[in-house]
């Protein structure tokens, strides 16, 4: 599986041969600047990402808990999701996401 992560400076980072179970784990495993303070429990909102519009329909809708966390996330958009709530599958190969403000280690 391949992923493209756009950091907060606009730089695209290509991840190849991703085997992580969630998008959050893949981003963290790659050493990218994502706070993910709760470790994937959807209880902090620090893994906030923007999913490319073309891939939104491939994702399950956000559940009530994720939606509540996104409500308090800085700069929520229609394509906002928590990376910890996105399980990776072959259908998401070549997914592109952008790290949202407030999701980094230096600004969480």
């Amino acid at each position: 599986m391949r992923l493209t992560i756009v950091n907060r400076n606009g730089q695209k980072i290509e991840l190849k041969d991703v085997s992580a179970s969630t998008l959050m784990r893949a981003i963290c495993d790659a050493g990218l600047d994502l706070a993910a303070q709760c470790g994937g429990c959807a209880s902090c909102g620090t893994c906030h990402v923007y999913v490319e519009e073309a891939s939104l329909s491939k994702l399950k809708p956000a559940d009530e808990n994720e939606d509540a966390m996104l409500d308090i996330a800085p700069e929520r958009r229609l394509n906002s999701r928590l990376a910890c709530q996105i399980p990776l599958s072959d259908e998401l190969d070549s997914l592109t996401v952008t790290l949202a403000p407030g999701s980094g280690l230096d600004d969480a």
Side-chain angles (χ1 to χ4, degrees):
M1 163 170 272
R2 296 176 331 204
L3 300 170
T4 301
I5 312 300
V6 181
N7 69 17
R8 283 175 288 288
N9 295 324
Q11 178 186 13
K12 289 185 178 183
I13 298 102
E14 303 288 333
L15 305 181
K16 298 178 182 175
D17 299 322
V18 174
S19 61
S21 59
T22 65
L23 179 60
M24 181 207 76
R25 185 67 354 221
I27 294 169
C28 290
D29 287 352
L32 300 177
D33 185 21
L34 188 76
Q37 291 175 332
C38 74
C41 300
S43 63
C44 71
T46 59
C47 66
H48 180 199
V49 296
Y50 302 126
V51 177
E52 67 180 346
E53 299 288 333
S55 294
L56 282 174
S57 64
K58 297 178 183 178
L59 303 177
K60 291 187 323 184
D63 66 18
E64 199 174 292
N65 188 46
E66 181 182 3
D67 193 50
M69 282 291 96
L70 288 168
D71 275 345
I72 60 172
E75 299 186 43
R76 181 179 187 171
R77 298 180 186 169
L78 292 175
N79 62 334
S80 287
R81 292 300 300 268
L82 297 181
C84 69
Q85 298 301 296
I86 299 176
L88 294 179
S89 66
D90 291 341
E91 186 176 43
L92 295 178
D93 188 42
S94 301
L95 176 71
T96 299
V97 299
T98 300
L99 302 181
S103 61
L105 297 170
D106 58 349
D107 58 6

